[in-house]
Amino acid sequence: FCKVTRGIRDWSGTAVQTCALQFYPRAKEFQRVETETRLGRPADEALQSMAYRLQSKIFEFVVLAVNIQRQVGGSLSEILDMVSDTVRGRVQFARKVRALTSMGRASAYVLVGMPFFLAAMIFLIDRAYIRPLWAQSAGHIMVLIGLISLGMGAVVCRKIVNFKYWGPDAFLLLH
């Protein structure tokens, strides 16, 4: 991320090219921004369109900070350093939350998989014991109710352990 901010600080072609080469997945976008600014498009608009194309919340945050700095004034390097610290803090927080919710996710996987595992084990051990679930209408209803309950439980578990964070693109910009 620091390399991105260095590339934004100095709008000379070499800085943007260096930034583009160091972030291979985003290289074409940085080259496009460089080309657009050379052709006379304002850097604010070129960055904003890049943020729109990348659909990266982190890069949108950076572009917003740069655009505000250009309008209000101040030290761009200080603003970009603050943005860098904020992004690092958010990514660390997202990693911490993901680690803390990993046990909940593992529990959800076990709870969802357990009925299928037990049904397979019972089927292998004593097929006559589980046959009424497949052969009788009451068994069909019980299986249907069980699957609906299992699906609802899986949705609830997912809502409990899912936490919205900046997503996988957060890790691409932190080099």
Side-chain angles (χ1 to χ4, degrees):
F1 184 73
C2 292
K3 295 172 188 171
V4 173
T5 57
R6 276 186 234 126
I8 293 173
R9 282 183 198 158
D10 177 23
W11 276 104
S12 67
T14 57
V16 177
Q17 282 177 344
T18 303
C19 192
L21 291 175
Q22 299 204 352
F23 291 99
Y24 179 72
R26 311 281 196 232
K28 289 184 180 181
E29 291 297 330
F30 280 108
Q31 290 170 352
R32 186 171 176 178
V33 167
E34 176 194 10
T35 303
E36 288 176 358
T37 54
R38 280 186 182 175
L39 293 174
R41 185 173 187 187
D44 299 350
E45 290 178 18
L47 281 172
Q48 193 67 38
S49 64
M50 179 180 171
Y52 178 76
R53 288 189 304 268
L54 291 178
Q55 296 181 350
S56 168
K57 291 183 182 185
I58 291 178
F59 199 73
E60 287 177 15
F61 191 59
V62 171
V63 169
L64 180 66
V66 170
N67 289 342
I68 289 172
Q69 185 276 336
R70 286 178 186 241
Q71 292 173 359
V72 176
S75 172
L76 181 60
S77 62
E78 288 178 17
I79 290 174
L80 291 175
D81 288 337
M82 286 191 300
V83 168
S84 177
D85 292 341
T86 302
V87 168
R88 275 196 198 97
R90 287 185 179 216
V91 169
Q92 285 177 345
F93 178 71
R95 286 178 179 164
K96 191 174 201 175
V97 167
R98 185 151 175 87
L100 292 174
T101 59
S102 64
M103 190 165 61
R105 282 193 310 276
S107 299
Y109 295 144
V110 169
L111 288 174
V112 169
M114 184 72 71
F116 297 107
F117 175 75
L118 288 176
M121 292 307 295
I122 292 171
F123 180 78
L124 291 174
I125 294 171
D126 188 10
R127 293 182 184 177
Y129 190 73
I130 203 165
R131 189 173 295 131
L133 287 176
W134 312 120
Q136 298 175 3
S137 62
H140 294 158
I141 292 171
M142 289 171 35
V143 168
L144 183 64
I145 290 171
L147 288 175
I148 290 171
S149 298
L150 186 66
M152 289 175 19
V155 168
V156 169
C157 284
R158 182 179 173 130
K159 290 286 184 184
I160 289 172
V161 299
N162 242 4
F163 182 78
K164 294 218 179 218
Y165 62 100
W166 279 6
D169 66 338
F171 304 108
L172 292 177
L173 290 176
L174 292 175
H175 290 280

